[in-house]
Amino acid sequence: MENFKAIILSVFSGILTFVLLWICSVFYKKVFLPWIETILYRGILIGGRWSSYHKHNIDNEYEMNLDIRQTAYNVEGEFFAKSIHPQSKISDINYYKFKGEIINDYLVVNYKITSREKMGLGAFVLKIDEGGEILKGNIAYVNESNMSITTLSNVKFKRP
């Protein structure tokens, strides 16, 4: 009987130790490290909403919004894109989630669509310009209509 109690107590204490170490690890990674990185980070802060209107060619216009959350050099958030076809008056609206980072005054981001009913992914490389008031650069993405890789050049995002 004593051996059985010792085994149960050992198993219970092992599980309790694992849970406490896991909680400490999550706290360290999710709370403490982002907090200390934000304190030590001396780069530009670009968090917030950014908007763009881009005319790709005669057939396509794009209205886009970025909602950026920043922790030091890491960024994540939501990306809204509305493609407008002026001649046919058809528009397509998509929502994306993105993750990326700021590297040498460039915002480098990968995004993918939030809906599981559609396909869509892409990447931004945007230069932080004009004292942090403009993000300008290129977007490469998979065109959902014909599944080809397409680029948008000279895209400019501004704070509203």
Side-chain angles (χ1 to χ4, degrees):
M1 190 68 175
E2 284 296 315
N3 289 339
F4 182 72
K5 286 182 182 178
I7 290 172
I8 295 297
L9 186 60
S10 298
V11 169
F12 179 74
S13 64
I15 292 171
L16 184 63
T17 302
F18 170 76
V19 169
L20 288 174
L21 287 174
W22 180 76
I23 290 171
C24 290
S25 149
V26 168
F27 176 80
Y28 180 76
K29 290 177 185 173
K30 299 285 184 180
V31 177
F32 182 73
L33 277 181
W35 175 74
I36 201 76
E37 286 175 347
T38 302
I39 288 174
L40 297 175
Y41 178 70
R42 296 289 177 228
I44 189 162
L45 298 175
I46 61 167
R49 175 161 284 199
W50 296 79
S51 298
S52 174
Y53 181 80
H54 183 77
K55 195 168 196 172
H56 182 54
N57 52 35
I58 297 171
D59 298 332
N60 292 322
E61 298 173 9
Y62 296 95
E63 180 183 323
M64 298 175 278
N65 290 322
L66 288 172
D67 286 317
I68 300 173
R69 291 183 303 278
Q70 180 178 359
T71 303
Y73 54 86
N74 293 313
V75 294
E76 65 179 19
E78 292 81 32
F79 168 51
F80 161 83
K82 178 180 180 182
S83 62
I84 305 161
H85 308 282
Q87 294 172 342
S88 62
K89 296 185 179 164
I90 297 173
S91 63
D92 185 30
I93 298 173
N94 290 313
Y95 294 91
Y96 304 90
K97 291 222 178 256
F98 67 83
K99 283 189 176 192
E101 59 187 340
I102 299 171
I103 304 170
N104 298 330
D105 293 334
Y106 284 90
L107 177 63
V108 181
V109 168
N110 293 315
Y111 67 87
K112 55 186 164 182
I113 199 157
T114 56
S115 171
R116 294 179 63 190
E117 297 170 359
K118 291 185 174 184
M119 292 178 61
L121 59 101
F124 296 136
V125 177
L126 302 171
K127 179 159 179 46
I128 302 168
D129 210 3
E130 295 185 24
E133 294 299 315
I134 289 184
L135 302 174
K136 67 179 182 180
N138 299 324
I139 302 173
Y141 64 97
V142 175
N143 190 334
E144 288 97 10
S145 61
N146 59 10
M147 298 310 290
S148 65
I149 298 173
T150 309
T151 61
L152 291 178
S153 300
N154 300 318
V155 176
K156 283 187 179 181
F157 285 91
K158 298 178 183 178
R159 294 184 195 258

